Amino acid sequence: PPDPLSPQEHGLDFQRLLDASAYKETFRQDMIRWGEEKRRADPGFFCRTAVEGAAQPVWVVSDTRRLSDVEWFRDVYGDAVQTVRVVATEETRKRRNWVFVAGVDDAESECGLDQGVAFDWVVTNDGDERSLDEQLEPLLQSLRGRL
């Protein structure tokens, strides 16, 4: 939704803000600050926005960043919620061009779920397709069983 600090209001390229480019990094701290202000005013703001008008039997909500997000989904949808954490080694992340930035990569927006969440599933994605398939198959079977 349009907001005084939303990408649309500032003429920013929304698609480029979703990638790992220098363009995103230019605005990243401002986006984090804006998001924090929204969450302080209304912890469910982004969660409600994400599900507004959705009516499918299975939703994949990617990129939740905070315990309050997970708690919101669990409060609203109860046992239907399955949490999945995808991890990769620091070495793999660096191969994917990740570079640690102090004040950004150690902020809640990046590591708010590193503690305090008992994930239902943990998937390691270090680039081994076979390993990834082997980890995802039981998850997919579980989801199919819930339909």
Side-chain angles (χ1 to χ4, degrees):
D3 185 276
L5 293 175
S6 72
Q8 300 92 332
E9 293 292 318
H10 287 278
L12 302 178
D13 183 332
F14 181 72
Q15 289 305 312
R16 291 185 68 197
L17 292 173
L18 298 176
D19 64 25
S21 68
Y23 181 86
K24 173 183 174 180
E25 293 305 314
T26 302
F27 302 103
R28 192 170 177 198
Q29 286 186 317
D30 289 334
M31 291 187 310
I32 291 169
R33 194 172 14 264
W34 173 78
E36 295 303 326
E37 289 171 8
K38 285 293 197 188
R39 280 182 181 83
R40 271 192 295 280
D42 177 4
F45 174 80
F46 291 105
C47 297
R48 274 193 314 283
T49 300
V51 301
E52 191 173 285
Q56 52 273 23
V58 174
W59 304 347
V60 176
V61 180
S62 65
D63 212 19
T64 55
R65 301 287 183 110
R66 290 161 185 77
L67 183 56
S68 61
D69 295 340
V70 174
E71 289 171 341
W72 186 89
F73 279 101
R74 285 182 172 160
D75 287 348
V76 173
Y77 297 104
D79 292 338
V81 172
Q82 292 285 288
T83 56
V84 181
R85 180 172 181 101
V86 180
V87 297
T89 64
E90 190 168 325
E91 178 182 301
T92 296
R93 296 173 73 200
K94 287 179 179 178
R95 275 197 319 267
R96 294 173 178 159
N97 298 319
W98 173 77
V99 177
F100 178 83
V101 176
V104 174
D105 291 309
D106 52 0
E108 183 183 12
S109 64
E110 301 302 314
C111 55
L113 295 177
D114 288 352
Q115 299 175 0
V117 178
F119 288 92
D120 299 301
W121 304 88
V122 177
V123 175
T124 301
N125 182 9
D126 281 322
D128 181 341
E129 189 174 334
R130 183 174 168 192
S131 173
L132 188 58
D133 287 344
E134 289 171 357
Q135 295 173 78
L136 291 177
E137 189 54 39
L139 170 59
L140 293 172
Q141 287 177 10
S142 175
L143 293 176
R144 286 183 196 113
R146 291 169 167 264
L147 293 177

